[in-house]
Amino acid sequence: MGYKITVEKTKASRLSEIDFNHLPFGKYFSDHMFVADYRDGDWHDCRIVPFGNFSMHPALSSLHYGQAIFEGMKAERDADGNPIIFRPLKNVNRLNISTERMAMPEVPEELFMNALDKLVSLDKDWIPDAPHSALYIRPHMYATEEFVGIKPAENFRFCIFTSPVGAYYSHPVKVFVQDKYVRAFPGGVGYAKCAGNYGAVMKPTREVQKMGYDQILWLDGIHHRYLQEIGTMNIFAIIDGVIITPALDQGTILDGVTRDSMIRLAENEGYVVQERDISIDEIINAYHEGKLQDLFGTGTAAVVSHIGEFHYKGENYELPPVEEREISNKLKGRFIAIKSGKAEDVFGWLHTVPVSVYAHQ
Ligand code: COI
């Protein structure tokens, strides 16, 4: 069934207030947002409106019980100036995996894509052109039940806003391999992009940031031994020329779109890629044997971010200088070239916002 999306344009664009050559991550928001409300078993009032605050009831159930999920995507501009979005169908699919786990309603792919095309085309002048910048797209959904008590909600809001961003990390990332707290375990919600996964790591993250680390590399929740992910990124290791990344089958890590893209690019380049359990002991042994060539993270926000050093049980381990990391630099370069429309889209990853959508706005 088709959902009609109404459009109310802003009367006062904030575009001229932004310095597009010095963009921080996640601080500025474009002129419009998409909003839809779910009640009586369907999505209603699908609308694009000027970006702004919502008012809310203090008993809003998502605030208390955490039925809230989100996604992250990026739009850039191709050589002809058309907005291009990287693999959005992977995101709508993952959004609906998260909704399923969190007892939330599915967003039909057609509604998601129409909303995305309309929103990005309306705010296409907010897509930055500077290197490492993009228009970050944040679809999210939360329960809007006004109710005290634990039950799956029946009313939800789905919203998409966009934000012109620069690089998420501007330096090699220092990670602390966490062996005290855990992020996820089989049967839990590690694979869902739900708010609780992020809320639960704030205290451990603050602790390691006070010690000078940027992020936590999480180990599995049972043995405290096998690498999971970094929270903001999936993790890859390169040992003796083999690219290794934790498998998805435990349901404890996010099925990252950049992760999947890097695996496919690496295989296409002829590298051996292994999706499997990888223990911290294997990493440390490879380090001591001089075989650990690289550790890097992948994510929509972080793109491909090298790990500069990691800490485990009182020891710091320094990784080779970033410029020497031939394999990941090559894959990163190819990935960036494809997603920004500068290299041939051999995998069919780019969604070009149809000209017909924005020609009439
Ligand atoms: C993304 O990469 O899109 C994320 O959601 C990570 C977030 C911590 C910024």
Side-chain angles (χ1 to χ4, degrees):
M1 133 178 170
Y3 293 88
K4 184 171 158 33
I5 300 175
T6 61
V7 178
E8 178 197 340
K9 289 191 197 175
T10 182
K11 293 190 179 60
S13 172
R14 289 170 284 102
L15 191 61
S16 62
E17 295 167 18
I18 311 295
D19 177 357
F20 278 85
N21 289 315
H22 299 94
L23 287 170
F25 194 96
K27 191 167 168 212
Y28 301 119
F29 302 95
S30 68
D31 281 332
H32 299 91
M33 61 185 183
F34 170 81
V35 187
D37 291 310
Y38 187 89
R39 58 178 182 274
D40 304 326
D42 204 357
W43 290 103
H44 297 276
D45 307 329
C46 303
R47 57 207 188 268
I48 288 178
V49 289
F51 181 86
N53 294 351
F54 294 126
S55 72
M56 66 187 179
H57 193 282
L60 198 80
S61 57
S62 50
L63 288 183
H64 299 252
Y65 315 119
Q67 260 185 303
I69 58 160
F70 69 97
E71 272 300 319
M73 316 155 69
K74 276 180 176 167
E76 298 186 42
R77 228 191 290 269
D78 69 12
D80 302 321
N82 302 312
I84 45 178
I85 305 176
F86 190 72
R87 305 189 75 181
L89 294 176
K90 287 280 286 177
N91 291 89
V92 63
N93 180 55
R94 190 174 65 185
L95 178 96
N96 284 328
I97 288 172
S98 300
T99 59
E100 194 278 328
R101 180 63 180 86
M102 299 300 290
M104 299 168 84
E106 213 174 84
V107 177
E109 184 180 293
E110 183 210 345
L111 172 61
F112 184 97
M113 291 305 295
N114 281 342
L116 197 61
D117 281 344
K118 275 197 156 58
L119 182 67
V120 171
S121 56
L122 189 58
D123 280 345
K124 65 182 187 310
D125 294 342
W126 286 81
I127 302 175
D129 290 319
H132 310 297
S133 64
L135 187 69
Y136 185 77
I137 304 168
R138 174 50 67 86
H140 58 288
M141 190 196 296
Y142 55 93
T144 50
E145 212 91 345
E146 298 167 357
F147 176 79
V148 172
I150 309 293
K151 70 171 178 83
E154 283 167 21
N155 298 324
F156 297 86
R157 175 160 285 171
F158 175 57
C159 174
I160 311 177
F161 63 72
T162 68
S163 167
V165 296
Y168 195 80
Y169 295 114
S170 49
H171 57 270
V173 185
K174 283 176 72 171
V175 298
F176 186 97
V177 181
Q178 180 60 257
D179 58 350
K180 176 173 154 199
Y181 302 106
V182 298
R183 174 188 176 274
F185 36 83
V189 294
Y191 66 94
K193 209 160 170 60
C194 61
N197 276 336
Y198 298 82
V201 305
M202 295 299 173
K203 172 186 149 82
T205 303
R206 190 168 58 188
E207 282 182 13
V208 306
Q209 286 179 345
K210 276 192 185 148
M211 294 189 280
Y213 298 92
D214 299 300
Q215 286 296 337
I216 290 171
L217 173 52
W218 295 99
L219 298 179
D220 76 278
I222 295 175
H223 311 281
H224 295 203
R225 210 174 141 214
Y226 297 100
L227 272 49
Q228 285 187 336
E229 62 160 90
I230 300 191
T232 52
M233 309 189 273
N234 290 109
I235 181 81
F236 284 77
I238 305 184
I239 298 179
D240 221 5
V242 176
I243 302 175
I244 310 164
T245 193
L248 302 173
D249 54 5
Q250 306 276 326
T252 52
I253 64 171
L254 204 70
D255 180 1
V257 179
T258 312
R259 173 190 180 278
D260 181 74
S261 307
M262 284 298 275
I263 292 172
R264 291 181 56 191
L265 270 174
E267 287 174 342
N268 182 261
E269 291 279 344
Y271 294 108
V272 177
V273 182
Q274 297 177 349
E275 290 181 75
R276 63 164 171 85
D277 287 348
I278 174 161
S279 69
I280 187 64
D281 313 294
E282 182 178 348
I283 296 283
I284 307 258
N285 288 342
Y287 180 91
H288 288 306
E289 288 166 6
K291 292 182 180 166
L292 181 64
Q293 293 160 273
D294 208 341
L295 277 179
F296 60 93
T298 60
T300 297
V303 190
V304 175
S305 292
H306 291 101
I307 310 297
E309 65 179 81
F310 68 96
H311 175 104
Y312 181 59
K313 289 197 188 295
E315 296 285 334
N316 273 333
Y317 299 84
E318 288 241 2
L319 286 146
V322 167
E323 50 289 0
E324 288 174 17
R325 309 208 203 163
E326 210 181 297
I327 300 175
S328 59
N329 284 333
K330 180 169 157 192
L331 295 174
K332 178 178 180 176
R334 200 161 163 227
F335 174 71
I336 290 175
I338 292 178
K339 85 178 177 51
S340 58
K342 293 190 179 68
E344 194 191 343
D345 180 19
V346 283
F347 301 95
W349 282 340
L350 296 183
H351 170 77
T352 305
V353 175
V355 178
S356 57
V357 175
Y358 57 86
H360 301 296
Q361 282 176 338

